[in-house]
Amino acid sequence: MFKKVLIANRGEIACRIIRACRELGIETVAIHSEADRDSMHVKLSEQSVCVGEASASDSYLNIPNIIAAAEISGADAIHPGYGFLSENAYFVEVCEACGLKFIGPSKESIKNMGDKIVAIGLMKKLGVPVVPGSDGHISIDDPKIFAMAKKVGYPVIIKATAGGGGKGMRIATSEKTLQNAIAIAQTEAKAAFGNSDVYMEKYIEEPHHIEFQILGDKYGKTAYLPERDCSVQKRHQKLVEESPSPLISESFRKKMGKTAKNIASAVKYITVGTVEFLVDKKGHFYFMEMNTRIQVEHPITEMVTGIDLVKEQIKLAAGEKLYVVSEKVKILGHAIECRINAEDPDKNFISSAGKIGKLYLPGGPGIRVDTHIYSGYTISPFYDSLIAKIISFGTDRKESITRMQRALREVEIENVKNTSSLHVKIMDNEQFCSGKVSTDFLSKHIFGKQSVE
Ligand code: ADP
């Protein structure tokens, strides 16, 4: 097992990883930017190193400084968390060259899954269903794109090959809007990922986002865990996740789960990852992408299975054998996660920064809160807006919703606008409570807009 792990991240996930390390008897080294000196993860860790100025490119993405911090502090492994360098194959290569274990899959897995076109090509070879679309990336000047879109059938969605976080995605409903959608998606993709390559897919109407947690060890054993339903989204970004999905039957779970496990086995996947699918109105499922890291929404899987995914991830990276057998995993209840973002839901989700005054976070039976905020903490404008995850667990979906409704009403984060009031509306919504939720739920049932942009 590792002796000392450097955590190349910040916020709630850095705190989560420090806690897992502590339970495993591993020392930790936190890194932080100059803006994050007073952050919770710095306080929780035995050791900490400042790796640069506030902007992420100077600090949490600064590979030379992070590696230097690991070497100076004597760490033997690096946990990347999610975001930042977690899906950067070059970073894995540098870690390996410096004798530091990267807590994640191989650089090949990251490379192959990080490019959505490569990943889709691989899925086709494996016989996994994919959404009909262009074969590879498309060019705005190619006159063939019109025939291609017609064949795929409008509406189509233009997506960034390097995509993530719902960025670089645009829907075209007709020939008239196609080139414009490509241009916007390309510009957004270039700004977000430094790569303007895009491809085309059929836009599945009113789909469900269903994903499977997978695990793998270095001896070739893999497993899947019960699904997460992440259909409550704002601009293609997840806002609420739940497990199990109210949509999925036992046999469908097995079918999709086995597909996810086969994918993990085919790419010789090590540690933890997620295979994401879209499910259409007819109940057909399609591979969407694979995330080669721990996900924001991992706690709901932990609640329903009793498996500590971060500890498992670390153990698997250290070479331990996978003990999980999918068929033996029991669903212990129902879990929901609400992402509390420092954004104003009444003002088009504009971000909110500033110093937190009074702070009351919920507790009581069935409530878990993963957060890095505290009273007096200043939310920085430099990073992701996620400030807390409230997770509810109940014996069934109804109890999980009731507990979440109760917990959300206990939240008070003085001075910082946040999404907790929006979550109250979602949890109280009849459509949500009925369990019939597709990805257009928020715009249709909360904001009262049409589904296709
Ligand atoms: P990202 O990597 O940016 O998260 P994904 O490919 O995972 O992008 O897609 C994010 C979300 O965008 C999905 O959950 C879904 O709501 C929507 N989406 C993506 N592709 C399609 C599609 N072909 N049809 C309908 N919705 C889609």
Side-chain angles (χ1 to χ4, degrees):
M1 183 44 78
F2 308 120
K3 287 204 168 59
K4 200 186 257 189
V5 170
L6 178 136
I7 295 134
N9 216 300
R10 64 180 301 283
E12 69 83 22
I13 194 64
C15 299
R16 171 74 188 88
I17 299 161
I18 292 168
R19 289 178 172 133
C21 287
R22 192 146 295 155
E23 288 179 26
L24 289 169
I26 301 169
E27 276 183 65
T28 58
V29 183
I31 59 157
H32 64 89
S33 67
E34 281 176 8
D36 268 347
R37 277 187 195 285
D38 294 327
S39 282
M40 179 82 97
H41 74 285
V42 177
K43 292 180 203 292
L44 284 182
S45 181
E46 283 97 343
Q47 243 181 305
S48 64
V49 182
C50 180
V51 289
E53 288 177 18
S55 88
S57 54
D58 289 330
S59 50
Y60 299 102
L61 294 170
N62 187 334
I63 296 178
N65 285 8
I66 294 171
I67 297 290
E71 286 182 339
I72 291 164
S73 59
D76 47 3
I78 296 190
H79 196 307
Y82 52 67
F84 295 127
L85 296 169
S86 61
E87 289 174 291
N88 184 321
Y90 172 69
F91 181 58
V92 182
E93 217 171 293
V94 177
C95 287
E96 279 170 5
C98 297
L100 292 156
K101 186 81 193 157
F102 176 81
I103 302 181
S106 68
K107 55 181 185 291
E108 289 77 22
S109 293
I110 294 180
K111 222 180 258 169
N112 288 336
M113 292 301 153
D115 184 316
K116 293 188 182 183
I117 291 178
V118 176
I120 288 169
L122 202 71
M123 294 309 131
K124 283 184 183 164
K125 273 195 205 145
L126 293 174
V128 175
V130 297
V131 183
S134 61
D135 226 356
H137 64 80
I138 54 170
S139 156
I140 196 163
D141 322 307
D142 183 354
K144 287 202 266 317
I145 52 169
F146 295 104
M148 194 190 293
K150 203 170 166 192
K151 190 171 162 217
V152 168
Y154 287 102
V156 295
I157 184 166
I158 311 300
K159 297 173 70 171
T161 57
K167 292 190 192 99
M169 246 183 252
R170 271 293 174 284
I171 298 160
T173 49
S174 68
E175 207 163 272
K176 263 193 233 151
T177 53
L178 182 61
Q179 277 179 314
N180 197 33
I182 298 174
I184 298 172
Q186 278 185 327
T187 311
E188 236 179 74
K190 179 80 187 162
F193 318 111
N195 175 353
S196 62
D197 284 352
V198 295
Y199 64 106
M200 184 193 297
E201 261 179 13
K202 166 102 190 125
Y203 180 73
I204 310 283
E205 294 187 64
E206 297 172 38
H208 299 263
H209 175 120
I210 305 288
E211 60 181 39
F212 282 79
Q213 180 72 55
I214 53 101
L215 303 104
D217 68 16
K218 69 174 197 181
Y219 312 99
K221 190 178 165 194
T222 55
Y224 71 89
L225 295 179
E227 77 287 348
R228 295 186 284 253
D229 190 323
C230 313
S231 300
V232 178
Q233 302 181 351
K234 151 209 92 154
R235 295 187 203 124
H236 310 306
Q237 269 178 303
K238 298 162 190 167
L239 208 56
V240 177
E241 301 96 351
E242 63 181 307
S243 180
S245 166
L247 178 84
I248 303 284
S249 66
E250 185 57 40
S251 58
F252 200 41
R253 172 173 304 123
K254 269 202 184 128
K255 193 172 169 194
M256 288 182 82
K258 277 187 181 159
T259 307
K261 180 174 147 51
N262 287 344
I263 295 170
S265 301
V267 300
K268 299 191 174 61
Y269 199 85
I270 302 172
T271 67
V272 301
T274 297
V275 181
E276 298 188 337
F277 297 102
L278 278 181
V279 178
D280 71 12
K281 283 190 245 180
K282 291 184 185 151
H284 298 132
F285 69 89
Y286 308 93
F287 169 86
M288 195 162 42
E289 67 164 341
M290 182 170 183
N291 289 133
T292 52
R293 54 169 163 80
I294 191 84
Q295 302 267 102
V296 174
E297 59 273 24
H298 75 274
I300 54 171
T301 306
E302 297 186 321
M303 302 307 275
V304 297
T305 62
I307 297 169
D308 184 317
L309 288 170
V310 181
K311 284 204 284 194
E312 279 321 302
Q313 180 186 28
I314 296 169
K315 288 198 262 178
L316 292 167
E320 287 193 18
K321 280 189 183 157
L322 176 65
Y323 77 90
V324 178
V325 178
S326 306
E327 290 71 24
K328 291 194 179 151
V329 173
K330 289 208 168 59
I331 299 179
L332 306 172
H334 193 98
I336 300 175
E337 175 182 274
C338 288
R339 295 190 188 197
I340 309 297
N341 295 331
E343 293 169 359
D344 187 350
D346 299 323
K347 291 203 178 115
N348 207 19
F349 293 94
I350 187 167
S351 9
S352 169
K355 190 169 177 172
I356 298 173
K358 271 188 279 176
L359 176 72
Y360 299 113
L361 292 172
I367 296 297
R368 163 177 168 182
V369 181
D370 280 19
T371 186
H372 58 289
I373 62 170
Y374 55 86
S375 176
Y377 173 70
T378 301
I379 293 169
S380 161
F382 290 101
Y383 315 108
D384 192 85
S385 63
L386 180 71
I387 52 170
K389 306 189 301 202
I390 300 180
I391 302 114
S392 69
F393 179 75
T395 47
D396 54 21
R397 188 169 190 266
K398 193 160 182 286
E399 188 179 45
S400 186
I401 292 176
T402 310
R403 284 186 163 155
M404 186 61 91
Q405 287 169 327
R406 185 264 295 166
L408 287 167
R409 285 174 168 85
E410 293 174 21
V411 175
E412 192 182 334
I413 308 172
E414 196 184 32
N415 299 337
V416 177
K417 294 265 186 263
N418 65 82
T419 49
S420 58
S421 56
L422 173 66
H423 286 298
V424 169
K425 287 185 196 158
I426 297 171
M427 290 301 130
D428 289 354
N429 183 278
E430 250 177 61
Q431 184 78 18
F432 178 80
C433 292
S434 76
K436 292 187 192 105
V437 176
S438 50
T439 60
D440 57 352
F441 163 78
L442 208 64
S443 52
K444 254 192 186 165
H445 297 279
I446 301 289
F447 294 116
K449 290 179 197 154
Q450 286 306 308
S451 57
V452 175
E453 291 148 35

